[in-house]
Amino acid sequence: MKVGAAAWIRPVSAKGDTLESFQAAHASALGMEEEGLIRIVKVLRQDDGQIQEIRIQRLA
């Protein structure tokens, strides 16, 4: 992913991801954002509050 590029991060069921396991991806993304590597642009949540997609932009 090039610097400045944006992408959606979603759980991949073919790799065994579930919405429950994907919640840890948000914590990882927050850590990367604190380090200045990415910017979290948008977080899409389901009605029950679980995160289903994260939009990020690479900064470094």
Side-chain angles (χ1 to χ4, degrees):
M1 187 171 170
K2 294 181 180 181
V3 173
W8 283 103
I9 300 173
R10 299 176 180 100
V12 179
S13 59
K15 292 184 177 181
D17 293 341
T18 64
L19 279 179
E20 292 78 21
S21 67
F22 186 67
Q23 304 313 296
H26 185 246
S28 297
L30 288 172
M32 292 173 65
E33 185 174 45
E34 287 178 13
E35 293 176 17
L37 300 174
I38 65 168
R39 181 172 70 96
I40 297 175
V41 178
K42 188 172 190 173
V43 176
L44 296 179
R45 296 181 182 266
Q46 292 184 329
D47 292 337
D48 63 2
Q50 287 193 331
I51 297 166
Q52 65 183 37
E53 297 180 56
I54 304 168
R55 178 84 171 166
I56 64 167
Q57 180 179 25
R58 183 171 177 193
L59 300 176

